[in-house]
């Protein structure tokens, strides 16, 4: 009997980075999200705002929708979400509303971040039970992916 690998923060972020890289070929900002329950990845997504002409089609929102559909429940208390970029206010609110128990993100977002950079919706005590938050996992690689994308876009 083979034992499933335990999903470490680095492994989860690696899966999120794979999702982020897939967004580049579609001309999307390279942000990826992965949702894990136990040792199983139950949802993956990358940004699709351009492709779907939908400002809510962020990686986190799409992954949350997929996870809720698979779980047949809007509550994801036992879930961990891995995101390559600090969630924005919309995504942080969705994470809180879905009751996701743990948030792990790579790069900080000083312009739009709602996980401590600009706002701290993830840890706002007035919004109910707070998720555990771990930041900075594979941050260099996450940031490089974003910087390279925008550098290419500007050319």
């Amino acid at each position: 009997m083979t034992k499933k690998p335990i999903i470490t923060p680095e492994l989860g972020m690696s899966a999120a980075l794979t999702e982020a890289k897939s967004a580049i070929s579609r001309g999307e900002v390279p942000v990826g999200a992965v949702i894990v329950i136990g040792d199983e990845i139950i949802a993956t997504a990358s940004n699709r705002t351009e492709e779907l002409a939908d400002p809510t089609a962020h990686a986190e929102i799409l992954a949350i929708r997929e996870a809720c559909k698979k779980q047949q429940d809007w509550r994801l208390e036992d879930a961990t979400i891995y995101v390559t970029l600090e969630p924005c206010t919309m995504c942080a609110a969705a994470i809180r509303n879905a009751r996701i128990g743990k948030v792990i993100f790579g790069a900080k977002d000083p312009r739009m971040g709602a996980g401590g950079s600009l706002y701290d919706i993830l840890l706002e005590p007035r919004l109910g039970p707070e998720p555990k938050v771990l930041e900075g996992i594979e941050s260099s690689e996450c940031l490089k992916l974003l910087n390279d994308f925008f550098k290419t876009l500007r050319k």
Side-chain angles (χ1 to χ4, degrees):
M1 185 166 121
T2 349
K3 198 172 184 182
K4 279 187 176 179
I6 293 174
I7 299 186
T8 63
E10 291 76 19
L11 236 118
M13 192 57 70
S14 176
L17 277 161
T18 298
E19 285 298 314
K21 289 171 187 170
S22 76
I24 295 170
S25 64
R26 296 188 316 273
E28 300 282 357
V29 175
V31 177
V34 172
I35 297 180
V36 172
I37 294 181
D39 285 328
E40 183 182 355
I41 293 174
I42 64 161
T44 62
S46 58
N47 277 359
R48 295 177 66 196
T49 55
E50 298 293 336
E51 177 185 353
L52 299 176
D54 179 354
T56 69
H58 289 199
E60 300 95 321
I61 302 293
L62 298 173
I64 289 169
R65 287 178 184 158
E66 182 182 333
C68 289
K69 190 173 182 178
K70 280 186 182 168
Q71 296 300 110
Q72 296 183 326
D73 194 352
W74 62 270
R75 294 173 198 87
L76 300 170
E77 293 103 341
D78 298 329
T80 299
I81 187 167
Y82 296 86
V83 188
T84 56
L85 181 64
E86 178 181 359
C88 68
T89 55
M90 174 183 69
C91 293
I95 288 166
R96 292 297 299 266
N97 284 334
R99 312 288 197 270
I100 292 175
K102 191 170 189 179
V103 180
I104 298 175
F105 67 86
K108 298 279 277 177
D109 185 355
R111 193 170 128 315
M112 299 281 283
S117 289
L118 186 59
Y119 303 104
D120 203 354
I121 290 173
L122 291 178
L123 295 178
E124 171 54 61
R126 295 174 292 181
L127 297 176
E130 299 165 24
K132 292 184 174 106
V133 178
L134 180 60
E135 63 181 68
I137 303 299
E138 305 294 338
S139 62
S140 296
E141 189 172 349
C142 294
L143 200 53
K144 182 179 180 344
L145 196 62
L146 287 159
N147 287 338
D148 290 352
F149 173 79
F150 285 112
K151 200 179 292 179
T152 302
L153 200 60
R154 285 185 209 105
K155 285 183 183 177

